Amino acid sequence: MSIRIAICAPATPITREQAQAVSALAAAEFPELELSFHEQCFAQEGHFAGPDTMRMSAFLECANDPGSDAVWFAKGGYGSNRILDPAIGSLNAHAGRKSFLGYSDCGFLLGALYRNGIGAPVHAPMPLDIKREGGEVAVGRSLAWLAGEGSGIEPDLGDGPVAAFNLTTLAMLAGTPFMPDLTGHVLIVEEVAEHLYAIDRLFFHLSPLLSTLAGLRLGEVTAVPENDRPFGQSIENIAKSWCRRAGVPYLGRAAIGHTASNRIVPFGLARTPHGA
């Protein structure tokens, strides 16, 4: 029996060539997977993969479809926050039985799903990652997880609940009705294309959250712009400093982020791959 994966783009579009490359990889290495790219993945309106109503409709079609087993977000960028309300309130029982995979801006959806106890949110590489150097390995990590193989899961997740977010996405989620309760969780954060002072500011904004955590791990921080003067602290020292202020353990590094080494982190206590 095949495992059907519904794919939509809640934020920005991918190209047909990228979708074809991902489908070819799945057909060659994971024939038990049936990938179904929603036509909305290729729509474009300004920055977005179609207007908000189109992106929300595609998300709901994929999530509420009784014939699909999981929902895979095609790409981040910016925009998934714009469809949270009323999309989250329109999900049905079929959505509650699915895994939802993505990262970066799609953390808005993962966080909202987790807060509402809907399905199984999973930080994982997306189809767009096929364009990276080494991207086939990254995409293959998610395909393997969807096929029931757990080799791509971030190691040393421990026995307690975990969650993984882009730092900016999490900071923007905080204080909204869609922010999940991460009390007692080990939180893993990553960032891309932000100045070090901006990362320090994000940790400041999240300091009330940090004090409720069981620990913090730092993922990849890439493409950091050069400032007009040195910030004076490394990214790891920034994270350690805010952990000290919050009285929360800093637990070291993790291989998640906007790179081909991005690994899988199922939210909560789940440790097994999809369908296993």
Side-chain angles (χ1 to χ4, degrees), residues 9-197:
T12 58
I14 61 170
T15 67
R16 294 186 187 277
E17 291 74 19
Q18 289 162 351
Q20 289 164 2
V22 172
S23 294
L25 177 64
E29 299 190 17
F30 303 97
E32 65 271 40
L33 299 181
E34 178 188 342
L35 303 190
S36 178
F37 283 88
H38 196 289
E39 186 65 21
Q40 173 270 328
C41 292
F42 316 114
Q44 188 162 352
E45 181 175 276
H47 172 86
F48 305 106
D52 292 350
T53 52
M54 176 187 287
R55 301 196 318 281
M56 183 178 72
S57 176
F59 166 66
L60 290 175
E61 284 180 36
C62 291
N64 290 339
D65 177 11
S68 62
D69 300 293
V71 177
W72 197 11
F73 302 131
K75 183 184 176 184
Y78 170 72
S80 65
N81 59 311
R82 293 166 59 105
I83 70 169
L84 292 182
D85 191 13
I88 294 299
S90 300
L91 294 169
N92 64 19
H94 298 297
R97 294 191 286 270
K98 290 182 173 63
S99 298
F100 294 83
L101 280 71
Y103 74 104
S104 191
D105 178 83
C106 291
F108 284 113
L109 278 163
L110 299 180
L113 291 163
Y114 193 49
R115 177 192 171 102
N116 287 279
I118 300 170
V122 182
H123 168 104
M126 297 181 288
L128 185 275
D129 287 307
I130 197 73
K131 75 172 191 177
R132 298 186 188 279
E133 183 177 352
E136 286 195 357
V137 175
V139 171
R141 206 173 287 128
S142 286
L143 292 171
W145 190 89
L146 287 163
E149 183 184 315
S151 61
I153 295 176
E154 168 66 18
D156 303 321
L157 290 181
D159 298 324
V162 297
F165 284 94
N166 170 263
L167 192 61
T168 296
T169 300
L170 182 61
M172 296 301 103
L173 196 57
T176 73
F178 306 103
M179 177 68 190
D181 182 4
L182 298 181
T183 301
H185 287 59
V186 170
L187 173 64
I188 311 175
V189 293
E190 56 85 19
E191 191 51 87
V192 61
E194 292 287 351
H195 288 86
L196 290 178
Y197 69 80

